[in-house]
């Protein structure tokens, strides 16, 4: 992740570069697009105002901030979320990505959606969050080896699903 | 890692997260470029803790009896002790007691205002003559009721606060002998 801007007016370029993948991470932990937007805003403001001077890699700190904002929002709107759970379960993961260029990409996006949640979490954090397995493990409270295993299982599952398309 | 999974990894890398909606990007930019609002001083916790601390100090001072703070003859003993070799127990115990006594007297002095009379005013008396009455000795007298107002202005020389003591309707009832021929 590029350094966060130090002067006002530079945020637009920084958000164009990093915003989509950070929103994807937020969306993974949110129940709706609107919640993901709120989570991303809260996390970026929290990081910028209070955490950017903390030691550690900025990318991992931003992802941590997103996770905490998602947890906070989850606690605040637990009752509402329970009512929306059925609707949220049908959320279309394909909408998380740019419109697929071809059928192969559309299948891939759908296959990612159908991964078990614990594998999908690792895929999102590692692939689009840019975190190492060690950082992924710290984020979700598992060992780096477990994170790496889930990544491998996810790839195998995707291969199983996409085999005919890839070939 | 097999060749197939490498291909899957490459395919995953080609999936691009959706771009931020224009509205969200503008919203985030505005939020991030807005200066952090100044934090308001937390008045209520300050008052609460300050009040608790003051109450605790006051309770400790009240709990200290005067004779315990300044035992009779303690100071001559200290003087004598300082002149000679000091008893260690007396030396170690005295400074806190003296400090507590000084704090107590300071607090008492601060609590009691030093009032100085600035001026006093008295209204003109208002006399009301009532109906004559017959006394037990057969004489007649006329009751008289006299009313006036007193106002005294004091000023606290420490704080500058002004105190006005207003006593309305001070009255005296007397009997004026009623002479008859």
């Amino acid at each position: 992740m590029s350094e966060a801007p130090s002067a006002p007016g530079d945020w637009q370029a920084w958000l164009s570069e990093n915003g989509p993948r950070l929103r994807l991470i937020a969306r993974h932990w949110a129940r709706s697009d609107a919640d993901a937007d709120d989570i991303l805003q809260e996390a970026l403001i929290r990081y910028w105002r209070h955490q950017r001077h903390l030691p550690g890699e900025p990318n991992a700190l931003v992802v941590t901030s997103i996770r905490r904002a998602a947890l906070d929002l989850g606690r605040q709107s637990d009752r509402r979320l329970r009512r929306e759970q059925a609707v949220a379960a049908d959320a279309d993961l394909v909408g998380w990505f740019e419109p697929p260029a071809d059928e192969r990409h559309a299948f891939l996006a759908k296959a990612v959606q159908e991964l078990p949640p614990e594998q999908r979490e690792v895929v999102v954090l590692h692939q689009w969050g840019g975190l190492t397995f060690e950082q992924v493990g710290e984020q979700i409270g598992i060992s780096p080896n477990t994170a790496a295993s889930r990544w491998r299982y996810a790839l195998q599952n995707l291969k199983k699903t996409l085999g005919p398309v890839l070939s | 890692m097999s060749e197939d999974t490498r291909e899957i990894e490459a395919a995953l890398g080609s999936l691009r997260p959706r771009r931020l909606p224009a509205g969200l990007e503008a919203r985030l930019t505005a939020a991030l470029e807005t200066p952090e609002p100044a934090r308001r001083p937390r008045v209520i916790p300050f008052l609460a803790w300050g009040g608790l601390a003051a109450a605790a100090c006051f309770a400790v001072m009240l709990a200290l009896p005067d004779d315990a703070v300044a035992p009779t003859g303690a100071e001559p003993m200290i003087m004598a002790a300082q002149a000679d070799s000091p008893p260690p127990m007396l030396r170690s115990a005295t400074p806190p007691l003296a400090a507590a006594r000084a704090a107590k007297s300071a607090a008492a002095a601060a609590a009691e205002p030093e009032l100085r009379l600035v001026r006093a005013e008295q209204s003109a008396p208002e006399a009301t003559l009532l109906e004559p009455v017959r006394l037990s000795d057969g004489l007649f007298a006329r009751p008289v009721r006299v009313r006036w107002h007193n106002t005294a202005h004091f000023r606290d020389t420490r704080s500058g606060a002004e105190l006005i003591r207003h006593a309305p309707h001070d009255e005296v009832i007397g009997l004026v002998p009623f002479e008859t021929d």
Side-chain angles (χ1 to χ4, degrees):
Chain A
M1 187 178 76
S2 61
E3 284 291 316
S6 55
D10 297 340
W11 276 107
Q12 203 165 358
W14 187 88
L15 284 172
S16 295
E17 182 188 343
N18 297 285
R21 63 184 192 84
L22 295 176
R23 185 170 183 262
L24 178 65
I25 295 171
R27 181 64 187 86
H28 174 74
W29 282 321
R31 306 287 178 129
S32 67
D33 280 348
D35 280 357
D37 295 349
D38 290 344
I39 288 167
L40 184 59
Q41 176 173 334
E42 175 64 27
L44 289 179
I45 289 174
R46 197 183 295 179
Y47 168 77
W48 176 245
R49 290 184 179 163
H50 305 297
Q51 298 170 347
R52 66 188 156 125
H53 303 301
L54 295 177
E57 197 200 351
N59 185 46
L61 286 173
V62 172
V63 173
T64 302
S65 189
I66 292 172
R67 181 171 170 79
R68 286 185 182 158
L71 290 173
D72 288 348
L73 186 69
R75 286 191 202 102
Q76 287 166 13
S77 51
D78 195 36
R79 251 179 269 163
R80 178 174 62 85
L81 289 178
R82 246 179 265 143
R83 286 200 302 271
E84 294 173 356
Q85 206 160 13
V87 179
D90 296 333
D92 187 7
L93 194 68
V94 178
W96 294 13
F97 300 99
E98 286 293 304
D102 51 31
E103 191 185 29
R104 181 171 162 262
H105 284 87
F107 273 115
L108 181 61
K110 193 167 187 315
V112 171
Q113 178 187 3
E114 289 169 354
L115 284 173
E118 67 277 5
Q119 293 178 19
R120 193 174 63 194
E121 187 171 46
V122 172
V123 168
V124 169
L125 290 175
H126 181 62
Q127 179 67 39
W128 293 287
L131 301 184
T132 63
F133 290 128
E134 191 174 349
Q135 290 169 331
V136 171
E138 286 172 6
Q139 287 292 330
I140 57 179
I142 59 175
S143 74
N145 287 338
T146 306
S149 297
R150 288 183 185 177
W151 169 257
R152 282 195 301 274
Y153 289 134
L155 292 184
Q156 286 167 10
N157 279 333
L158 290 173
K159 179 188 156 193
K160 210 179 295 176
T161 309
L162 295 173
V165 180
L166 288 174
S167 59
Chain B
M1 190 84 51
S2 69
E3 191 64 34
D4 287 345
T5 52
R6 284 208 187 87
E7 193 179 359
I8 296 286
E9 274 191 81
L12 279 177
S14 66
L15 276 183
R16 298 286 167 210
R18 205 173 60 188
R19 270 176 294 190
L20 294 183
L24 175 62
E25 192 170 313
R27 181 178 124 191
L28 290 176
T29 306
L32 288 164
E33 292 183 353
T34 303
E36 186 176 8
R39 289 190 179 182
R40 296 171 63 186
R42 305 178 68 190
V43 176
I44 291 176
F46 172 77
L47 289 178
W49 283 109
L52 279 176
C57 291
F58 190 65
V60 168
M61 284 178 200
L62 284 182
L64 286 173
D66 286 342
D67 53 351
V69 172
T72 310
E75 286 177 3
M77 284 174 67
I78 294 169
M79 298 285 284
Q82 284 172 344
D84 247 349
S85 63
M89 281 182 63
L90 186 59
R91 266 252 166 111
S92 60
T94 300
L97 290 177
R101 185 176 59 180
K104 186 177 181 181
S105 60
E112 290 176 7
E114 279 186 0
L115 292 179
R116 178 182 292 173
L117 181 64
V118 178
R119 67 177 185 277
E121 295 164 353
Q122 191 171 62
S123 67
E126 175 195 336
T128 308
L129 290 173
L130 303 176
E131 290 297 315
V133 293
R134 186 173 187 177
L135 303 180
S136 58
D137 58 1
L139 296 176
F140 287 89
R142 187 183 283 272
V144 179
R145 186 174 64 198
V146 183
R147 280 179 166 177
W148 71 95
H149 300 178
N150 280 338
T151 307
H153 296 256
F154 298 92
R155 178 168 292 152
D156 183 3
T157 55
R158 297 186 179 191
S159 65
E162 190 165 336
L163 174 71
I164 300 175
R165 182 182 181 277
H166 183 60
H169 302 310
D170 275 358
E171 65 179 27
V172 170
I173 293 181
L175 289 172
V176 178
F178 195 73
E179 292 183 7
T180 55
D181 291 332

